[in-house]
Amino acid sequence: MSESGFLFRFRDGQTYMDTWPERKELAPMFPEQRVIKATKFAVKVMPAVAVISVLTQMAFNNTAGLPQAIIIALFALSMPLQGFWWLGNRANTILPPALASWYRELYQKIIESGAALEPMKSQPRYKELANILNKAFKQLDKTVLERWF
């Protein structure tokens, strides 16, 4: 089970990002797809933005602009962390009743299809929904899934 500490949110966010099924059917219903895409982009691009903002000030020997460049660099480096933090919080949020019901229906359909699953959660969170959705897209027939999408 996940701890609730500060650093564990970031780890949970990374795990949730890797777990969430990137499917076009889910994009209109959940913001995860957009947050994951933005976070992955920030992980790739923002370290370079941070370095370039500081190096340009140093290259032009502009010591007056260096504090602002450092602030911009710190902000740029915080962008991926903000995405991981949001995803970590989302992963540990208990599902609203409608989504919890959907989780239970999908769970039952997967069990009926003969797949093995960990025991059903009484208060599922978004990370359990992500796991069930992954299984559903792999195990269930498309006609069964069409009911929900």
Side-chain angles (χ1 to χ4, degrees):
M1 188 164 268
S2 167
E3 294 87 7
S4 60
F6 181 76
L7 294 176
F8 292 105
R9 288 287 173 201
F10 294 113
R11 186 202 63 203
D12 287 349
Q14 286 180 309
T15 303
Y16 187 58
M17 183 170 75
D18 295 335
T19 305
W20 186 260
E22 294 185 39
R23 302 286 301 230
K24 64 180 179 176
E25 301 95 325
L26 299 173
M29 295 183 280
F30 299 98
E32 275 80 353
Q33 201 107 357
R34 294 181 298 278
V35 174
I36 289 169
K37 188 178 278 190
T39 302
K40 285 181 177 179
F41 177 78
V43 165
K44 289 179 186 173
V45 173
M46 290 304 161
V49 169
V51 169
I52 290 168
S53 69
V54 173
L55 287 181
T56 53
Q57 296 303 316
M58 293 171 69
F60 295 116
N61 205 16
N62 184 4
T63 55
L66 196 56
Q68 292 90 341
I70 291 171
I71 297 296
I72 290 169
L74 290 173
F75 178 73
L77 292 173
S78 78
M79 296 295 282
L81 296 176
Q82 291 175 47
F84 289 132
W85 180 260
W86 187 92
L87 290 165
N89 280 330
R90 179 71 164 200
N92 290 297
T93 301
I94 293 175
L95 293 174
L99 284 178
S101 173
W102 191 43
Y103 162 85
R104 289 181 192 93
E105 285 180 46
L106 283 173
Y107 186 95
Q108 283 305 121
K109 290 287 182 195
I110 294 168
I111 292 292
E112 289 169 10
S113 77
L117 288 174
E118 62 183 42
M120 186 186 309
K121 306 289 183 188
S122 60
Q123 289 195 317
R125 296 168 291 181
Y126 278 90
K127 63 177 147 188
E128 282 91 26
L129 178 63
N131 288 328
I132 286 295
L133 285 169
N134 265 326
K135 275 277 201 196
F137 283 116
K138 291 175 186 163
Q139 297 280 353
L140 298 180
D141 187 90
K142 288 184 182 172
T143 57
V144 174
L145 290 172
E146 284 175 1
R147 176 174 170 242
W148 287 289
F149 301 112

